[in-house]
Amino acid sequence: MDISSLLSPQDSPRDTPPPSKSTSKKPRKSRTTKATSCAKTSPASISPQPTPADPTGRSPQQMLRSPSTAHLVSAVKMPMENIPNIGRAARQGSTPGMDALADLASMQHHQQATRANAASLRSTEIYNHEGSPNTAVLQSLHVVHGHSPGRAALGHTMADTPSHLATSQLFTTNNSLSDAESQDAANLVDHLTHNQFDYEAHVKLISLLHRAYQSQIQGSSLQTDSRGYGLLRDLRAAREAMDAQFSVGEDLWIDRIEDEELLAMTLPLDECVAVMNLYERAVQEEAVSTKLWLRFAKWMTSLYVAATQDALAREAVDSLHEIQSWSDEDKLVAGEVYSWRVTLNVWARGAQATKWRIDESHLLWDPYTALLLQDLEKSPSTEGVAEMKNHFLDRLQTAHATWDHTFQMFSTFISRYENHSYEKIMATVNQQCAASKAAYGVREIFELGLRRAHESGDKATQFNIFSEYLEWETSQSRRKHAFVFELLDTLYQRALLSFPANTELWEAYFMFLTKEIVTYSRQDVNLLSVLDRSTRHCPGSGFLWSQYLLTAERQGIAFPEIGHIKHKATSTGLLEAGGLEEVLQVYVAWCSILRRRAFQDESTDEEVDVAEVGIRSAIEDMQRLGESKYGKEYQGDPNYRLERIYIKYLTQGRNFDTAKKSWKGLISKQGDKHEFWLRYYLWEMSVWGKISYSETARSSPSSPRPSEATKVLRMALKRPNLDWPERLIQVLQYHCEDHEDATELQSASLQIWETKKLVQKRREKEAVEAYEAAQAAQAQAMQHVQSLNPETSTDSAVSFTTNKRKRENGTGETQEETASKKTRGNEATMTEEVPSSVPSNLKRDRENATIFVMNLPRATTDNRIRQYFRDCGLINSLRLAVDEPSETATATIEFQSRDDANTALTKDKKNFDGRDIDVQLGSGSTVFTTNFPPEADESWIREKFGKSGEIIDVRFPSLKFNTHRRFCYVQFSTADEAQKATQLDGLAVGAKLKLVVKMSDPSQRHDRVGALEEGREIHIVNLHWDITERELVSSFSRYGRIEKTKIPTNVSGKSKGFAFVVFKSAKEASAALEMNQTKLMGRTLTVEIATKAPTKRQATTILRSSHSPSPDVQMSNGDPSAAESPGASVNHGVKPTSAEIKARTVVLLNVPDTVNDARIRNLAEHYGPLVKIVLRPDHQGAVLEYKDVTDAGKAALGLDGDESLSGRKIRVGNSKELLEQQPELKNDKLGPHSAKSTKSSDALQSVMPIRRPVQLGAKRRGRGGLGSVSKAPAKSTARDAEEDDMMGGTETKDAAPKSNSDFKTIFLGKKKDE
């Protein structure tokens, strides 16, 4: 490899061998050793080629019967090891020569020269395979045709198709294709000529030709020479073209080999060699494919049976191929070439390769074992029995689906050959291998799901199950030996068989293997082989290619080989199709390798020059690619990664002047980013440190000042559009104070002062512009809504502002003020109408007892509406929404009963304060919804349901009696809109959450269903603290199918000592009660059917440990962004005291009882990380514990007066005030039977206890008399004591007398409490 090959790597032919090694460089010992080692142990991933081996163990001269068959024996390249180590020797490459530098007249012309050279190479690299002449398709696709497993065609392109070739004339001679199919094939070839990397087009062309070929060959006589079929050459050419760009995959390999098998069965022996080589390539690329290995083994067995007519082998393996075209001479040669040893070796390799496929490994192992038993029966021996016994033991100690069947086979084997020790052997083996049987048992549910998804063809479900399976397998404990590397490794490969082009899956597999090597020092992992396969399947992934380069460097692969990998990545064009970021990742990895190589020990000047040219070429290539895609306005990589590598290279070479020019060259593109200037400043400081503390400078009494670094900061502050000037102002201040003299410090202070003033004006202007933009966006959104539905848009706007608007009557008084000014006469009148009894079991029927009143005057009040409808019946609730543009209002009124609502309909079209109102019944206009995210609030509900129609009301339930409730009712203006909203039922709204939306109908309520209600859930107590869910499943799975397990944990992640297990049926759960009072891991269990827990009136949510260490925020590796996080937490390290917890605690008051802890967390976490949330809906409050005292202070200031929770103002208080706060009273019933006025929902409930005052001079009733001493009543509860403390003690003789109105209030309050 020379420098010319580095300049335009995307155009370099990947199959061009590198030039011979230059003699101008003297190799170092360390580099020579690495290259030699690589040549001996080069992994199969670099270039997969089968290793030649003698199939019979003898020399070819001893085996051959006729010289004419020598080419057959040499073509059979069958590895004889159970686990093949297929690989190629290291390529003979050269180090870059200095003479290539002379060819660089200028950096502007080297790309064109290299492209011209690459084009000439491509034009001559067209080869033909003997017996398969080029057709029009072959010429069009420009592929390398043949049976060789090499990748010589990788560098070819279909863009060089001869212009005189007319694709419309292709396939015209193939009578098996219809006219439409011929045209489709021609169109696909024409498309691939210009889009050679279109994977789907390749597959479509191959599938079309495959179907036609199958039809053609099946309609012909088997005695016909199939090589004359016109479609055969076209099909081979199309497959080779795709194989040159992509990995074929399991299914396409099977189709390809099936076609070649049909051909080989009708032709002489030499065609079978080509099929065998195809099988070798296929099983090497898809090593865990049981389909390919099974077909391969049966094919080899078919050849052996056709040559030897072995009846026993024919009986042992079913579905063998019938080969009838061989002559006697062919059979004689085949008996030598496809010997029993060669055939059995393929079975052994297949069984070993698929050993850890617990789902299908028996498909190979069972027939292979049958063949071994057949051999043992022919020639029994003590050694043979011992080997066969070890064969069975190895299988039984490996988890697989047919473990019981294998154990039965082993039992039959022992009873025949070692019957005298049968009981002892079977008991010992059963005990030793029980763990492998259990290992499959815990994975059976995943395997069953995968099988069902595969049979149904549901790829999405199959992928989800694979993802869950992989996650579960990864989480297995290594300490308890539950983790098995081979199982997880094979599971990844199984997933990649089904989803070979999934980049994320390949990346996850690679990172898993990397962790095994780095963290657990595993030595038997061939990362290069995996990366070679992954980049063949996903050639557009820059991450995989960059890791390929990095791994090759880490494993000591020779530099020419690393360059070859890089050329493969950048020469296809697929990286560019994925975006510039993919290309950039490869260039970053490549340039980093060049830089590290240039400054290794004993590096030569030649390597340093090669690194400079390569890095500069990469920068130019990326700039050219960006401009070709985005035009001249392309500003380069936002993170300037390649430029930073180049600056690092120059700095290491102490070429500080050129490095500084590179920094200055970046100012035009990166100058508005503070992060760029910080990096530039840190670089100047590092250079200053190297110069000022050198040996020469150390002898000087005074060191120079870092004036260049100061200039960088002052230059940055002059940029008018700098994104974060405040950061650089601070750095400049500290820098000058630490390093500069008084003159420079004063000058910098002046610049800082002026810059601060400019920044302040700029921030104020930005704030005004942001506000104006938001207002304009809001106005535009409203106009858009009105344009879509002008009739209902105004009402929709009203519904969104209902909770934030105080309703006023015509006199300017609020509704609450008006309601409190009732006359005493009215109170007496209404009090007399209270019925003597009200049924206690009467339930509210909102859905059928609600009306909508529209076209009300804007100035109307709640009280006026109540008075107007008071003669219709008892009003439970009323909501009024004012529409500003239309000067009207809409009211939603809920009556006590359906009859009352029907009575109210009589007021439709009646006059109400000068307007004719519209009254409609709200029946069928409400939906019930649940299973939405816990943090969802009314705005979230309105956003989701707003598209269905106009939302009148959203009602959340009270949580003061049960904090677990999470549902709400959404009321629309019409029944049709509510019905439309039910289409949202089943909508995915989060991780594993699907929205439930049903029409609200109290008469159709159903009992709860689920595991708890059906008796399928058991509760296990007194568990061992270290037990895992896998161990729990293993212990209880014998009683039935387990759907779910849960072991609750505390804040530190430790088990709480109990668990819940959900079975498939109640019968299975009842059977599991057998475990009650039995021991598990040394502890006696208590097992019982789970019952419903009592409702919780408060909810405590623990988010994190309050005394866990908090990492300090520091600058990492010179990255200034790592030091910019404000508000670093204090590292406590020990359990905090009660005083510290109190200092970090914020108590919220006046929190609506419909707000859950998730919404409070969503609101409070903006001020800092939380430790704990205690929700107290029974006291209209919550307690927040922050991790940091500073965050608690900010929260106390920010949350006080906040109105984002249902429009009520939150107040910050203390725990005493919280306990004194009464539960929220929602008594909004005001009709002909009630005179009690309601408080505003924004006001706190009264916490003053009600007591009858002592009248002066009044006699005391009860015991006691003359001379008795009156005692204060004893406090009945601690709550009473708290209330007395709040009030200052019990009543005194100076208490003011109460009026009749006060007594009446007390009486009505007591009646309500009763």
Side-chain angles (χ1 to χ4, degrees), residues 883-940:
D883 183 19
E884 298 291 347
S886 62
E887 297 293 324
T888 62
T890 301
T892 304
I893 306 175
E894 178 197 351
F895 286 92
Q896 179 68 35
S897 66
R898 179 184 303 187
D899 294 338
D900 295 342
N902 291 330
T903 303
L905 292 178
T906 60
K907 296 185 178 292
D908 185 37
K909 304 302 181 182
K910 297 293 181 66
N911 185 275
F912 181 95
D913 295 345
R915 284 182 175 271
D916 293 337
I917 60 174
D918 297 325
V919 182
Q920 299 177 5
L921 192 63
S923 299
S925 62
T926 303
V927 296
F928 167 84
T929 180
T930 185
N931 211 34
F932 42 77
E935 62 274 9
D937 55 5
E938 182 174 343
S939 61
W940 188 95

Coordinates of all heavy atoms in Angstrom, one line a residue, residues 883-940:
D883 N -67.3 32.5 26.3 CA -66.6 32.6 25.0 C -66.5 34.1 24.7 O -67.5 34.8 24.4 CB -67.4 31.9 23.9 CG -66.7 32.0 22.6 OD1 -65.5 32.2 22.5 OD2 -67.4 31.7 21.5
E884 N -65.2 34.6 24.7 CA -65.0 36.1 24.5 C -65.4 36.6 23.2 O -66.1 37.6 23.0 CB -63.5 36.4 24.8 CG -63.1 36.1 26.2 CD -63.7 37.0 27.3 OE1 -64.3 38.0 26.8 OE2 -63.6 36.7 28.5
P885 N -65.0 35.9 22.0 CA -65.3 36.5 20.7 C -66.8 36.6 20.5 O -67.3 37.6 19.9 CB -64.6 35.5 19.8 CG -63.6 34.8 20.6 CD -64.1 34.7 21.9
S886 N -67.6 35.6 20.9 CA -69.0 35.6 20.5 C -69.9 36.2 21.6 O -71.1 36.3 21.5 CB -69.5 34.1 20.3 OG -69.4 33.4 21.5
E887 N -69.3 36.7 22.7 CA -70.0 37.4 23.8 C -71.1 36.5 24.4 O -72.1 37.0 24.8 CB -70.6 38.7 23.3 CG -69.5 39.7 22.9 CD -68.7 40.2 24.1 OE1 -69.3 40.3 25.2 OE2 -67.5 40.4 23.9
T888 N -70.9 35.2 24.4 CA -71.9 34.3 24.9 C -71.2 33.4 25.9 O -70.0 33.4 26.0 CB -72.6 33.4 23.8 OG1 -71.6 32.6 23.2 CG2 -73.3 34.3 22.8
A889 N -72.0 32.6 26.6 CA -71.5 31.6 27.6 C -72.3 30.3 27.4 O -73.4 30.3 26.9 CB -71.7 32.2 29.0
T890 N -71.6 29.2 27.8 CA -72.2 27.9 27.8 C -72.1 27.3 29.2 O -71.0 27.3 29.8 CB -71.5 27.0 26.8 OG1 -71.6 27.6 25.5 CG2 -72.1 25.6 26.7
A891 N -73.2 26.7 29.7 CA -73.2 26.1 31.0 C -73.5 24.6 30.9 O -74.3 24.1 30.0 CB -74.2 26.7 31.9
T892 N -72.8 23.8 31.7 CA -73.0 22.4 31.9 C -73.6 22.1 33.2 O -73.0 22.4 34.2 CB -71.7 21.6 31.7 OG1 -71.1 21.9 30.5 CG2 -72.0 20.1 31.7
I893 N -74.9 21.6 33.3 CA -75.6 21.5 34.5 C -75.9 20.0 34.8 O -76.5 19.4 33.9 CB -76.9 22.3 34.5 CG1 -76.6 23.8 34.2 CG2 -77.6 22.2 35.9 CD1 -77.9 24.6 34.1
E894 N -75.5 19.5 35.9 CA -75.8 18.2 36.3 C -76.9 18.2 37.4 O -76.7 18.8 38.4 CB -74.6 17.4 36.8 CG -74.9 16.0 37.3 CD -73.8 15.4 38.2 OE1 -72.8 16.1 38.3 OE2 -74.0 14.4 38.8
F895 N -78.0 17.5 37.1 CA -79.1 17.4 38.1 C -79.0 16.2 38.9 O -78.2 15.3 38.6 CB -80.5 17.5 37.3 CG -80.8 18.8 36.8 CD1 -80.5 19.2 35.5 CD2 -81.5 19.8 37.6 CE1 -80.8 20.5 35.0 CE2 -81.8 21.0 37.1 CZ -81.4 21.4 35.8
Q896 N -79.9 16.1 39.9 CA -79.9 14.9 40.8 C -80.4 13.7 40.1 O -79.9 12.6 40.4 CB -80.7 15.2 42.0 CG -80.8 14.1 43.0 CD -79.5 13.8 43.7 OE1 -78.8 14.8 44.0 NE2 -79.2 12.6 44.0
S897 N -81.3 13.8 39.2 CA -81.9 12.7 38.5 C -82.1 13.0 37.1 O -82.1 14.1 36.6 CB -83.2 12.3 39.2 OG -84.2 13.3 39.0
R898 N -82.4 11.9 36.3 CA -82.8 12.0 34.9 C -84.1 12.8 34.7 O -84.2 13.6 33.7 CB -82.9 10.6 34.3 CG -83.2 10.7 32.8 CD -83.4 9.3 32.2 NE -82.2 8.5 32.5 CZ -82.0 7.2 31.9 NH1 -83.0 6.7 31.2 NH2 -80.9 6.6 32.2
D899 N -85.0 12.6 35.6 CA -86.3 13.3 35.5 C -86.1 14.8 35.6 O -86.7 15.6 34.9 CB -87.3 12.8 36.5 CG -87.7 11.4 36.3 OD1 -87.5 10.9 35.2 OD2 -88.0 10.7 37.3
D900 N -85.2 15.2 36.5 CA -84.9 16.7 36.6 C -84.3 17.2 35.3 O -84.7 18.4 34.9 CB -84.0 16.9 37.8 CG -84.6 16.5 39.1 OD1 -85.8 16.4 39.2 OD2 -83.8 16.3 40.1
A901 N -83.4 16.5 34.7 CA -82.8 16.9 33.5 C -83.9 17.0 32.4 O -83.9 18.0 31.6 CB -81.7 16.0 33.0
N902 N -84.8 16.1 32.3 CA -85.9 16.1 31.3 C -86.8 17.3 31.5 O -87.3 18.0 30.6 CB -86.7 14.8 31.3 CG -85.9 13.6 30.8 OD1 -85.0 13.8 30.0 ND2 -86.1 12.5 31.3
T903 N -87.0 17.6 32.8 CA -87.8 18.8 33.1 C -87.1 20.1 32.6 O -87.8 21.0 32.1 CB -88.1 18.9 34.6 OG1 -88.7 17.7 35.1 CG2 -88.9 20.1 35.0
A904 N -85.8 20.1 32.8 CA -85.1 21.3 32.3 C -85.1 21.5 30.8 O -84.9 22.7 30.4 CB -83.6 21.2 32.8
L905 N -85.4 20.5 30.1 CA -85.5 20.6 28.6 C -86.7 21.5 28.2 O -86.7 22.0 27.1 CB -85.6 19.3 27.9 CG -84.4 18.4 28.0 CD1 -84.7 17.0 27.4 CD2 -83.2 19.0 27.4
T906 N -87.6 21.7 29.1 CA -88.8 22.6 28.8 C -88.4 24.0 28.7 O -89.2 24.8 28.1 CB -89.9 22.4 29.9 OG1 -89.3 22.8 31.2 CG2 -90.3 21.0 30.0
K907 N -87.2 24.4 29.1 CA -86.8 25.8 29.0 C -86.0 26.1 27.7 O -85.4 27.1 27.6 CB -85.9 26.1 30.2 CG -86.7 26.1 31.5 CD -85.8 26.5 32.7 CE -86.6 26.5 34.0 NZ -87.7 27.5 34.0
D908 N -86.0 25.1 26.8 CA -85.3 25.3 25.6 C -86.0 26.4 24.8 O -87.3 26.4 24.7 CB -85.3 24.0 24.8 CG -84.5 24.1 23.5 OD1 -83.5 24.8 23.5 OD2 -85.0 23.5 22.5
K909 N -85.3 27.3 24.2 CA -85.7 28.4 23.4 C -86.5 29.5 24.2 O -87.1 30.3 23.6 CB -86.6 27.9 22.2 CG -86.0 26.9 21.3 CD -84.7 27.4 20.7 CE -84.1 26.4 19.7 NZ -82.9 26.9 19.1
K910 N -86.4 29.4 25.5 CA -87.0 30.4 26.4 C -86.0 31.5 26.6 O -84.8 31.4 26.3 CB -87.3 29.8 27.7 CG -88.3 28.6 27.7 CD -89.7 29.1 27.3 CE -90.7 28.0 27.2 NZ -91.0 27.5 28.6
N911 N -86.6 32.7 27.0 CA -85.8 33.9 27.1 C -85.1 33.9 28.5 O -85.7 33.6 29.5 CB -86.7 35.1 27.0 CG -85.9 36.4 27.1 OD1 -85.6 36.9 28.1 ND2 -85.6 36.9 25.9
F912 N -83.8 34.2 28.4 CA -83.0 34.2 29.6 C -82.2 35.5 29.6 O -81.2 35.7 28.8 CB -82.0 33.0 29.7 CG -81.1 33.0 30.9 CD1 -81.5 32.3 32.0 CD2 -79.9 33.7 31.0 CE1 -80.7 32.3 33.2 CE2 -79.1 33.7 32.1 CZ -79.5 33.0 33.2
D913 N -82.7 36.5 30.3 CA -82.0 37.8 30.4 C -81.8 38.4 29.0 O -80.7 38.9 28.7 CB -80.7 37.7 31.2 CG -80.9 37.4 32.6 OD1 -82.0 37.5 33.1 OD2 -79.9 37.0 33.3
G914 N -82.8 38.3 28.2 CA -82.7 39.0 26.8 C -82.2 38.1 25.7 O -82.1 38.5 24.6
R915 N -81.9 36.8 26.0 CA -81.4 35.9 25.0 C -82.2 34.6 25.0 O -82.6 34.2 26.1 CB -79.9 35.5 25.2 CG -78.9 36.6 24.8 CD -77.5 36.1 25.0 NE -76.5 37.1 24.5 CZ -76.1 37.1 23.3 NH1 -76.5 36.3 22.4 NH2 -75.2 38.0 22.9
D916 N -82.5 34.1 23.8 CA -83.1 32.8 23.7 C -82.1 31.7 23.8 O -81.2 31.6 23.0 CB -83.8 32.7 22.4 CG -85.0 33.6 22.2 OD1 -85.5 34.0 23.3 OD2 -85.4 34.0 21.1
I917 N -82.2 30.9 24.9 CA -81.2 29.9 25.2 C -81.5 28.6 24.5 O -82.7 28.3 24.2 CB -81.0 29.7 26.7 CG1 -82.3 29.2 27.3 CG2 -80.5 31.0 27.4 CD1 -82.2 28.9 28.8
D918 N -80.4 27.8 24.2 CA -80.6 26.4 23.7 C -80.3 25.4 24.8 O -79.2 25.5 25.4 CB -79.6 26.2 22.5 CG -80.0 27.1 21.4 OD1 -81.2 27.4 21.2 OD2 -79.0 27.5 20.7
V919 N -81.2 24.5 25.1 CA -81.0 23.5 26.1 C -81.0 22.1 25.4 O -81.9 21.8 24.7 CB -82.1 23.6 27.2 CG1 -81.8 22.6 28.3 CG2 -82.1 25.0 27.8
Q920 N -79.9 21.4 25.6 CA -79.8 20.0 25.1 C -79.5 19.0 26.2 O -78.8 19.3 27.1 CB -78.7 20.0 24.0 CG -79.0 20.9 22.8 CD -77.8 20.9 21.8 OE1 -76.9 20.1 22.0 NE2 -77.9 21.7 20.8
L921 N -79.9 17.8 26.0 CA -79.6 16.7 26.9 C -78.3 16.1 26.6 O -77.9 15.9 25.5 CB -80.7 15.6 26.8 CG -80.7 14.6 27.9 CD1 -81.0 15.2 29.3 CD2 -81.7 13.5 27.6
G922 N -77.5 15.9 27.7 CA -76.1 15.4 27.5 C -76.0 13.9 27.5 O -74.9 13.4 27.7
S923 N -77.0 13.1 27.4 CA -77.0 11.7 27.4 C -76.1 11.1 26.3 O -76.2 11.6 25.2 CB -78.4 11.1 27.3 OG -79.2 11.5 28.4
G924 N -75.3 10.2 26.7 CA -74.4 9.5 25.7 C -73.2 10.3 25.2 O -72.6 10.0 24.2
S925 N -73.0 11.4 25.9 CA -71.9 12.3 25.4 C -70.6 12.2 26.3 O -69.7 13.0 26.1 CB -72.4 13.8 25.5 OG -72.7 14.1 26.8
T926 N -70.6 11.2 27.2 CA -69.4 11.0 28.1 C -68.8 9.7 27.8 O -69.4 8.7 27.7 CB -69.9 11.1 29.5 OG1 -70.5 12.4 29.7 CG2 -68.7 11.0 30.5
V927 N -67.4 9.7 27.8 CA -66.7 8.4 27.7 C -65.8 8.3 29.0 O -65.5 9.2 29.7 CB -65.7 8.5 26.5 CG1 -66.5 8.5 25.2 CG2 -64.7 9.6 26.6
F928 N -65.6 7.0 29.3 CA -64.7 6.6 30.4 C -63.4 6.2 29.8 O -63.3 5.4 28.9 CB -65.4 5.5 31.2 CG -64.5 4.8 32.2 CD1 -64.3 5.3 33.4 CD2 -63.8 3.6 31.8 CE1 -63.4 4.7 34.3 CE2 -63.0 3.0 32.7 CZ -62.8 3.5 34.0
T929 N -62.3 6.7 30.4 CA -61.0 6.3 29.9 C -60.0 6.1 31.0 O -60.1 6.7 32.1 CB -60.4 7.5 29.0 OG1 -59.1 7.1 28.5 CG2 -60.2 8.8 29.8
T930 N -59.2 5.1 30.8 CA -58.2 4.7 31.8 C -57.0 4.2 31.1 O -56.9 4.1 29.9 CB -58.8 3.7 32.8 OG1 -57.8 3.4 33.8 CG2 -59.1 2.4 32.1
N931 N -56.0 3.8 31.9 CA -54.7 3.2 31.4 C -53.9 4.2 30.7 O -53.1 3.9 29.8 CB -54.9 2.0 30.6 CG -53.8 1.0 30.7 OD1 -53.2 0.8 31.8 ND2 -53.5 0.3 29.6
F932 N -54.1 5.5 31.0 CA -53.2 6.5 30.4 C -52.0 6.7 31.3 O -51.9 6.2 32.4 CB -53.9 7.8 30.2 CG -54.8 8.2 31.4 CD1 -54.3 8.7 32.6 CD2 -56.2 8.1 31.3 CE1 -55.1 9.1 33.6 CE2 -57.0 8.4 32.4 CZ -56.5 8.9 33.6
P933 N -50.9 7.4 30.9 CA -49.7 7.5 31.7 C -50.0 8.2 33.0 O -50.9 9.0 33.1 CB -48.8 8.4 30.8 CG -49.3 8.2 29.4 CD -50.7 8.0 29.5
P934 N -49.3 7.8 34.1 CA -49.6 8.4 35.4 C -49.5 9.9 35.5 O -50.2 10.5 36.2 CB -48.6 7.7 36.3 CG -48.2 6.4 35.6 CD -48.3 6.8 34.1
E935 N -48.6 10.4 34.7 CA -48.3 11.9 34.7 C -49.3 12.7 33.8 O -49.2 13.9 33.8 CB -46.9 12.2 34.3 CG -46.6 11.8 32.8 CD -46.1 10.4 32.7 OE1 -46.2 9.7 33.7 OE2 -45.7 10.0 31.6
A936 N -50.3 12.0 33.2 CA -51.2 12.7 32.3 C -52.1 13.6 33.2 O -52.6 13.2 34.2 CB -52.0 11.7 31.6
D937 N -52.4 14.8 32.7 CA -53.3 15.7 33.4 C -54.4 16.1 32.4 O -54.6 15.5 31.3 CB -52.5 17.0 33.9 CG -51.7 17.7 32.7 OD1 -51.9 17.2 31.6 OD2 -51.0 18.6 33.0
E938 N -55.1 17.1 32.8 CA -56.3 17.5 31.9 C -55.9 18.0 30.6 O -56.5 17.7 29.6 CB -57.1 18.6 32.6 CG -58.4 19.0 31.9 CD -59.2 20.0 32.6 OE1 -59.0 20.1 33.9 OE2 -60.1 20.6 32.0
S939 N -54.8 18.7 30.5 CA -54.3 19.2 29.2 C -53.9 18.0 28.3 O -54.1 18.0 27.1 CB -53.1 20.1 29.4 OG -52.0 19.5 30.0
W940 N -53.3 17.0 28.9 CA -53.0 15.8 28.1 C -54.2 15.1 27.6 O -54.3 14.7 26.4 CB -52.2 14.8 29.0 CG -51.6 13.6 28.3 CD1 -50.3 13.5 27.8 CD2 -52.2 12.4 28.0 NE1 -50.1 12.3 27.2 CE2 -51.2 11.6 27.3 CE3 -53.4 11.9 28.2 CZ2 -51.5 10.3 26.8 CZ3 -53.7 10.6 27.7 CH2 -52.8 9.8 27.1

